[in-house]
Amino acid sequence: MKATEGRTAAEIAVDNSALPPAFENVPAPAPIAMPVQDFSARPAPGPSRPVNIDLWARRMLVVLLALLPASMAAHEMRRSIGLDGISLWEGVYLALFIPLFAWIAFGFATSLIGFLLLTIGKGRGVRPYSPRVTTPLAGLTAILLPVCNEDFLGVLGRLSIMERSLTRVMGGERFEFFILSDSNPENGAVERKAYEEMRAAFSRPVYYRRRALNIGRKPGNIAEWVQRFGGGYDHMIVLDADSVMSGQTMARLAVDMERHPHVGLIQTVPTVMGATTLFARWQQFASRLYGPTSAAGMIWWAGSEGMFWGHNAIVRVRAFAESCGLPELPGRAPFGGHIMSHDMLEAALLRRRGWDVHMVSADDSFEEFPPAMPDLFTRDRRWCQGNIQHVPLIGKIAGLHPVNRFQLLVGASAYCTSPLWLALMLVVLGGAVAGMWPAAAVLPSGGLLALTAILLFGPKLFAMIWAVADPARRIGFGGAGRMARGVIVDIALSILMAPVAMLTQTINLFGILLGRKSSWNGQTRDRDGMAITSAIWLFKWHLMLGAGLLALAIRADSVGWIMPVVAGLFAAPVLAAVTARKDMGARAERSGLFQVADPWWQSQGYKPLRHRWTLARRVFARKKDEAAPANDG
């Protein structure tokens, strides 16, 4: 690996493409140049576009809606603690409280706008993609599935569902699949055997390549494909190993790219599917219920400066090649080296060269969720490192759109809110212990607490109202009663999990700042429980913090308000162990807790992470024998 130090990802990808692959079955090369981007130089301007006054007015409205309650909170707290002047300790308290309140208000404002668009506005401009495609496709689209030490039978199962769905849409023959493997030799042998046994069952090209060297992680994997084969394709749909997307949505994405030649990327907003553990079922319910309203608001104000999440999106190959060659960052990891959170930066680089980046809702774009709290926190640490890497780039990359700079800043600051919340609690308790104030004097008043509750729980209420008003969605969640029961349990579990996530993200952030980089191995996508002793050891720092906060609260005579935080920290091992169990997930499913509508592909007999050879063969045999209907819709 030392030979790769100081070299760019694109340069390494070129060299890697010249190496004999570990194994591949691919089409003839169609190379395309992917130059490394010079972040210090402003790129040549793209086509002249008029300033969208309406879009900037939307953004100003969101900012004002966020600043209004934050200003009210600042005024109320100033009246409470600043009547006789503000001490240094009180100044620190206000400096922590006001930005955190504004952060909550920003999320509320986005959800409020999304709710109004979906109800009063009837979804204008943010409706999910329609289920029918009638426009012929001229271009060729590659569907890329990067994998790294995954459950390969599950990957082939998901691919088979998408491949079969494409046979039912107009222009489905204009899509080809590429499995791009970075797996180790042992898993690579399993992949090769499975691929060679099953590839004849597909009705369209399904190519496979395992790289000789896994360099540059996923962006290096994609860059290698672009440079070798990108010249033969107009678009690429980038998926994750756990992604599922219907053929109708894939075709609609390709049609939109052909209709709008100035668009470089369209990101769908995926929802969670395939949950088996109680934790994943909980998150699946929250994603399906709360996601659409917040996504609608985000789509409304993002406009042509949308975000890229690295999967479930279509990208114009030529635009990506000319815009997104990523350099190596100077220095050593975790700040230097390969760019980890490449997706948000690639969206910014596309916009930097004049390409529009849009986001759309799609009811049939899915991904899976980590099965347990530890798996979520492991993934979250990688995201934390990647987003922190962006901080020095926000001001250094010439030509970035202001909204893209804001998005990169928000992505990084999301991981700073946890230590700020912890610092705020310590300031309140520490000040009370030191005699600076009684803790009750600096806690929010009744009115401010009510406003805080509205900002925190308002988005959940908006989502419930919208879902109840839509008969199809209401039935999908099992009716209003089951939906309300799920929301109540979700709120209780969220209150317990919030302090756990707070400390975990704080530990991760300081670990990264101290130079401890994250590993990037295959993700844990299947789990059934965890030993309570392992959970206690894993969350030992949470137990210690809970004990410390409780001791401080007793000394400060303010146990009441800190108890939800302490309870969550003490409950962390049990919460993690219980919610990681599949039997608890099955019990919740039988009782209707966290019920969601079955995804579009459920009737085809495939269940993620339960896929086996017999089921795969049954799916393929049925696909070959049945006459395909005219349309999925």
Side-chain angles (χ1 to χ4, degrees):
M1 297 294 288
K2 289 185 178 180
T4 68
E5 290 181 3
R7 304 172 60 202
T8 66
E11 289 169 343
I12 293 170
V14 170
D15 290 349
N16 187 63
S17 65
L19 292 172
F23 169 73
E24 68 176 21
N25 174 49
V26 294
I32 185 173
M34 188 172 178
V36 177
Q37 299 302 298
D38 182 359
F39 287 171
S40 63
R42 185 180 293 270
S48 178
R49 304 283 298 280
V51 176
N52 192 329
I53 302 298
D54 174 66
L55 188 55
W56 281 104
R58 295 179 184 185
R59 293 161 180 167
M60 291 301 298
L61 177 61
V62 176
V63 172
L64 290 175
L65 287 175
L67 290 180
L68 179 61
S71 301
M72 294 169 59
H75 177 69
E76 180 68 21
M77 295 307 298
R78 177 71 172 79
R79 289 177 56 194
S80 299
I81 66 174
L83 295 178
D84 57 348
I86 297 178
S87 67
L88 177 61
W89 202 275
E90 292 169 337
V92 171
Y93 174 80
L94 290 175
L96 292 170
F97 179 83
I98 294 173
L100 289 171
F101 203 90
W103 177 266
I104 298 173
F106 181 79
F108 174 85
T110 299
S111 293
L112 173 62
I113 289 173
F115 169 71
L116 295 175
L117 289 170
L118 292 172
T119 52
I120 299 174
K122 306 299 182 182
R124 183 174 56 190
V126 293
R127 290 190 187 96
Y129 265 178
S130 61
R132 185 174 298 274
V133 175
T134 58
T135 305
L137 287 171
L140 192 61
T141 300
I143 304 170
L144 309 184
L145 282 89
V147 299
C148 181
N149 301 319
E150 301 282 352
D151 170 15
F152 198 65
L153 293 182
V155 173
L156 287 177
R158 287 180 281 272
L159 187 153
S160 71
I161 297 302
M162 293 183 283
E163 192 267 346
R164 186 180 185 213
S165 180
L166 280 168
T167 64
R168 303 179 173 189
V169 300
M170 177 182 292
E173 72 282 354
R174 306 298 295 167
F175 294 83
E176 297 178 354
F177 286 88
F178 283 80
I179 303 172
L180 307 179
S181 176
D182 271 338
S183 299
N184 59 35
E186 181 181 0
N187 288 321
V190 174
E191 293 175 2
R192 177 174 181 174
K193 181 178 183 298
Y195 170 75
E196 289 182 330
E197 181 170 341
M198 289 192 171
R199 68 180 181 181
F202 293 108
S203 61
R204 75 191 63 250
V206 176
Y207 301 111
Y208 173 90
R209 182 270 291 136
R210 186 168 77 86
R211 288 199 292 174
L213 291 176
N214 176 0
I215 298 174
R217 300 186 180 93
K218 182 178 177 179
N221 199 354
I222 299 294
E224 190 263 359
W225 179 88
V226 169
Q227 291 171 322
R228 287 184 67 191
F229 307 106
Y233 297 88
D234 299 275
H235 319 112
M236 58 182 182
I237 293 178
V238 183
L239 302 175
D240 265 355
D242 62 351
S243 298
V244 179
M245 189 186 296
S246 76
Q248 287 290 351
T249 290
M250 292 184 187
R252 174 66 187 272
L253 289 170
V255 166
D256 279 356
M257 294 294 278
E258 293 185 355
R259 286 177 177 170
H260 306 288
H262 58 280
V263 174
L265 185 150
I266 303 175
Q267 171 71 64
T268 69
V269 181
T271 54
V272 178
M273 56 88 177
T276 55
T277 64
L278 178 60
F279 179 77
R281 284 189 61 83
W282 164 30
Q283 299 300 321
Q284 176 180 260
F285 172 83
S287 167
R288 297 278 194 93
L289 181 58
Y290 311 140
T293 50
S294 60
M298 183 167 52
I299 291 169
W300 183 79
W301 66 256
S304 56
E305 286 74 47
M307 288 181 281
F308 179 35
W309 294 323
H311 58 90
N312 292 57
I314 190 169
V315 187
R316 194 177 303 276
V317 175
R318 177 173 62 86
F320 189 83
E322 75 176 21
S323 308
C324 298
L326 298 179
E328 296 279 332
L329 299 180
R332 300 180 62 85
F335 301 103
H338 299 295
I339 295 174
M340 296 186 70
S341 291
H342 57 94
D343 35 27
M344 288 183 65
L345 193 58
E346 287 163 347
L349 294 175
L350 282 166
R351 194 70 189 94
R352 178 176 177 243
R353 286 190 174 268
W355 297 99
D356 284 3
V357 176
H358 288 277
M359 303 171 69
V360 297
S361 294
D363 286 337
D364 46 10
S365 177
F366 294 98
E367 62 177 337
E368 291 179 2
F369 199 83
M373 284 170 53
D375 308 313
L376 173 64
F377 293 150
T378 298
R379 186 184 73 174
D380 199 56
R381 192 185 194 284
R382 295 196 299 267
W383 289 0
C384 178
Q385 178 178 333
N387 281 270
I388 295 303
Q389 272 186 322
H390 294 160
V391 173
L393 300 178
I394 294 173
K396 288 184 178 180
I397 301 180
L400 281 187
H401 193 280
V403 173
N404 292 131
R405 295 188 194 275
F406 172 75
Q407 290 165 342
L408 293 173
L409 178 62
V410 168
S413 63
Y415 291 94
C416 299
T417 57
S418 288
L420 291 180
W421 279 116
L422 179 56
L424 182 64
M425 287 186 288
L426 292 175
V427 165
V428 172
L429 292 175
V433 171
M436 299 289 182
W437 52 55
V442 294
L443 292 177
S445 64
L448 194 51
L449 281 175
L451 178 59
T452 304
I454 291 172
L455 296 180
L456 287 173
F457 301 116
K460 298 179 186 290
L461 181 61
F462 297 152
M464 280 192 65
I465 294 173
W466 177 61
V468 168
D470 185 325
R473 291 190 179 275
R474 183 175 66 249
I475 293 171
F477 287 107
R482 285 189 174 182
M483 186 194 310
R485 180 161 59 104
V487 170
I488 292 171
V489 178
D490 161 67
I491 290 173
L493 292 175
S494 298
I495 291 173
L496 289 175
M497 184 175 165
V500 184
M502 174 191 69
L503 181 57
T504 301
Q505 288 187 346
T506 301
I507 293 172
N508 289 343
L509 178 61
F510 279 97
I512 290 166
L513 294 176
L514 292 174
R516 292 196 292 271
K517 64 179 182 179
S518 302
S519 60
W520 198 290
N521 302 313
Q523 297 188 48
T524 301
R525 302 193 192 275
D526 193 19
R527 179 194 287 269
D528 189 6
M530 63 184 301
I532 189 65
T533 52
S534 301
I536 290 173
W537 176 253
L538 183 63
F539 293 101
K540 57 185 179 296
W541 298 113
H542 301 73
L543 299 174
M544 294 171 62
L545 177 63
L549 289 177
L550 183 59
L552 278 175
I554 292 173
R555 288 193 60 189
D557 193 24
S558 55
V559 175
W561 70 270
I562 202 66
M563 279 310 298
V565 177
V566 172
L569 293 170
F570 282 154
V574 175
L575 183 65
V578 171
T579 58
R581 290 167 51 178
K582 287 185 178 179
D583 63 334
M584 296 298 292
R587 184 179 301 178
E589 183 177 13
R590 289 192 298 269
S591 69
L593 179 64
F594 298 142
Q595 180 174 328
V596 296
D598 289 335
W600 58 271
W601 39 263
Q602 192 71 52
S603 61
Q604 301 185 26
Y606 170 71
K607 294 183 178 180
L609 302 175
R610 302 174 190 172
H611 181 80
R612 293 296 180 264
W613 287 102
T614 54
L615 182 56
R617 291 192 178 105
R618 192 182 310 133
V619 170
F620 295 139
R622 188 166 62 211
K623 171 172 63 65
K624 295 174 70 176
D625 294 341
E626 292 179 354
N631 195 289
D632 273 340

